[in-house]
Amino acid sequence: MLVASFGQRFTITPLELITAYSAIANGGSLLKPRLVKELRDDVGNVITRYEPEVVRKVISKETCDLLRMMLEGVVNEGTGRNAYIGGYHVAGKTGTSQTTEEDRKIASFCAFAPADNPVVCVLIMLDDPKGDSYMGGAIAAPVAQKLIEEVLTYLEVERKFNERDLREQVQQVVAPDLAGMTVAESVKALQDMGLDYKLQAGISDTGLPVAAQTPPPLTRVSAKSTVILYVDEDAPPLMVRAPDFRGKSTYEAGELARRAGLNIRASGAGVATGQSVQAGEEVEAGSVVDVTFRYTDNIE
């Protein structure tokens, strides 16, 4: 007979939970939790430094390796997919907790990363969330994903891309500075970079110098994005209406934006759930719209 455990009404503090996850990340060694790293005097000299202190060994390295693999699976293909970060292996678990109060939930996500050589452990808890979902995988995991990625980037932790990362990664390029180049030269430069273009209305002389462009130079955009070229700085901008990206995949949203003469900056994976410009709103052609992608199925 198969038996599956399910915890109801367990009480645990956030500090206890993150300490337990850290024990897995540390190969089974339970460390005494520290809230303060060091004490300094009024001129910045270190008076006391609190070094890591191992309390005891709580589980074996073999068990830790198994747990790490299972937690990675949650993020790679389970309910924690919204915490997936290309190039960084994340080991984590979603939580959607009932409380003693009726209809009050706590959505959470706890993880450490990189899974193969952890440097950070993160716990996100949302108490009594309001909105379309109260599931940890839907609303807590995306917050953890953004936080973990920013921390690891700040710490200059090297990304290790696997085949899936390379397959799903949205290629990005930096828009060149075309000021002073002729329209013909600018068009060739954009085409060589795999970028599309549109010209200011009424341009017939491709020998005229480019005076302005949208998006501006050095803006990071997705491959195949559209750059609008102007030969007159005072010319009225080309205006287009923003499409509704909701429910679209990354590829579908990119194509929709391209046809509209806009560019997107994608965040996350799955289907589009939000955009920085409302659907139907008039914006300057070539503008970059931030689009958030999330997994919405099998998320708890």
Side-chain angles (χ1 to χ4, degrees):
M1 181 178 68
L2 295 176
V3 177
S5 62
F6 181 73
Q8 285 286 75
R9 298 185 183 275
F10 285 155
T11 55
I12 183 172
T13 68
L15 185 58
E16 288 172 329
L17 181 57
I18 206 165
T19 299
Y21 268 79
S22 297
I24 301 171
N26 291 327
S29 295
L30 179 69
L31 270 62
K32 184 176 181 178
R34 299 289 193 190
L35 299 180
V36 176
K37 176 184 177 182
E38 59 191 26
L39 302 179
R40 295 173 179 260
D41 60 21
D42 55 357
V43 294
N45 298 315
V46 177
I47 301 173
T48 305
R49 178 176 284 114
Y50 298 99
E51 301 294 343
E53 180 181 337
V54 177
V55 177
R56 64 182 182 277
K57 190 83 169 178
V58 289
I59 49 178
S60 68
K61 182 181 182 302
E62 291 72 24
T63 300
C64 287
D65 292 340
L66 178 60
L67 286 170
R68 183 183 293 110
M69 180 184 68
M70 295 170 68
L71 292 171
E72 275 195 82
V74 172
V75 175
N76 291 342
E77 53 193 28
T79 58
R81 287 175 294 164
N82 283 324
Y84 186 91
I85 304 172
Y88 291 135
H89 295 258
V90 179
K93 182 66 182 75
T94 58
T96 305
S97 307
Q98 296 174 324
T99 70
T100 54
E101 296 182 34
E102 187 175 356
D103 296 328
R104 187 185 188 94
K105 305 290 195 302
I106 296 177
S108 65
F109 185 82
C110 194
F112 55 84
D116 55 345
N117 186 24
V119 299
V120 62
C121 187
V122 168
L123 170 61
I124 300 297
M125 295 181 62
L126 305 176
D127 189 358
D128 194 21
K130 308 299 182 184
D132 295 334
S133 177
Y134 58 82
M135 298 292 187
I139 60 176
V143 180
Q145 185 249 25
K146 186 174 292 291
L147 180 59
I148 292 171
E149 183 171 25
E150 290 182 359
V151 170
L152 295 182
T153 301
Y154 174 77
L155 295 176
E156 298 182 346
V157 176
E158 181 183 2
R159 289 180 185 257
K160 299 176 182 178
F161 294 102
N162 55 30
E163 290 186 7
R164 171 186 172 179
D165 297 332
L166 297 174
R167 184 174 63 251
E168 296 182 354
Q169 189 176 20
V170 178
Q171 288 187 322
Q172 292 190 326
V173 296
V174 175
D177 187 352
L178 304 172
M181 297 174 61
T182 66
V183 171
E185 291 170 337
S186 299
V187 168
K188 184 178 186 308
L190 293 172
Q191 290 176 332
D192 288 345
M193 295 180 66
L195 294 171
D196 203 354
Y197 69 93
K198 283 189 178 181
L199 304 180
Q200 172 188 333
I203 294 180
S204 57
D205 184 359
T206 58
L208 293 173
V210 171
Q213 66 184 82
T214 304
L218 306 183
T219 301
R220 188 170 292 277
V221 296
S222 302
K224 299 182 181 180
S225 290
T226 301
V227 178
I228 314 301
L229 303 177
Y230 297 92
V231 297
D232 180 2
E233 288 185 350
D234 298 323
L238 297 172
M239 303 298 289
V240 297
R241 292 192 181 278
D244 187 350
F245 296 111
R246 289 172 301 176
K248 306 296 183 184
S249 68
T250 308
Y251 174 80
E252 292 170 336
E255 288 297 298
L256 196 58
R258 185 180 61 80
R259 291 196 296 269
L262 291 170
N263 305 305
I264 67 168
R265 183 162 41 227
S267 172
V271 298
T273 57
Q275 56 191 83
S276 59
V277 178
Q278 289 187 355
E281 182 178 339
E282 269 204 343
V283 293
E284 185 176 354
S287 297
V288 178
V289 180
D290 291 308
V291 182
T292 302
F293 293 85
R294 295 285 182 263
Y295 289 107
T296 57
D297 60 320
N298 190 30
I299 299 298
E300 296 178 2

